[in-house]
Amino acid sequence: MTAPAPPPGTGPLAFDLAFLRERAMDCRLGDDDLTALTGIPTADWDTHLTPQTLPAAALIHLARTLATSPESLLRTPVQDNRPAPQTATHATALHAALMEAGHIHPDDLASALEWPRTVLNAPPPP
């Protein structure tokens, strides 16, 4: 039986290593114990311990040893909360324009972006 696909828009599952290590400390398990339970040295967990590399039976055994559920050891990766390009701040748009063109007179930039000159704190032209 295969696991159901994750809901659209969610990434693959990963181990919640901070929670796993916290449970291990609570259960007085050291690195050697954890390596024996997972088959993966704890120093390599960041890159090698994934739901795909740990057999289901080992996950269940690990969860029981840590007195928790298998689900609690897993998490979905953190979503990227950076603003989308259409919601760029004035500072982001200004930075992008300067990176592209080098020096730009504030009046020219305000005109090109259809911003009032006051947004760029540009003095009025003489």
Side-chain angles (χ1 to χ4, degrees):
M1 176 184 237
T2 60
T10 61
L13 290 176
F15 277 95
D16 185 342
L17 297 179
F19 178 73
L20 200 155
R21 290 181 189 277
E22 180 183 312
R23 290 300 312 141
M25 285 190 335
D26 291 345
C27 295
R28 295 191 173 111
L29 296 174
D31 286 346
D32 291 339
D33 301 313
L34 295 170
T35 298
L37 285 165
T38 62
I40 300 170
T42 55
D44 296 335
W45 277 10
D46 289 337
T47 55
H48 292 89
L49 183 62
T50 68
Q52 294 77 27
T53 60
L54 189 67
L59 173 61
I60 292 168
H61 182 66
L62 176 64
R64 284 185 182 148
T65 304
L66 296 175
T68 191
S69 68
E71 299 85 19
S72 68
L73 298 176
L74 302 171
R75 61 170 170 76
T76 50
V78 175
Q79 298 295 322
D80 184 0
N81 291 329
R82 289 180 290 179
Q86 66 271 21
T87 61
T89 62
H90 289 146
T92 303
L94 176 59
H95 179 73
L98 290 173
M99 292 295 293
E100 182 66 28
H103 178 74
I104 299 174
H105 189 276
D107 287 341
D108 295 333
L109 181 60
S111 175
L113 296 174
E114 298 178 1
W115 291 349
R117 281 194 311 265
T118 56
V119 171
L120 299 175
N121 293 325

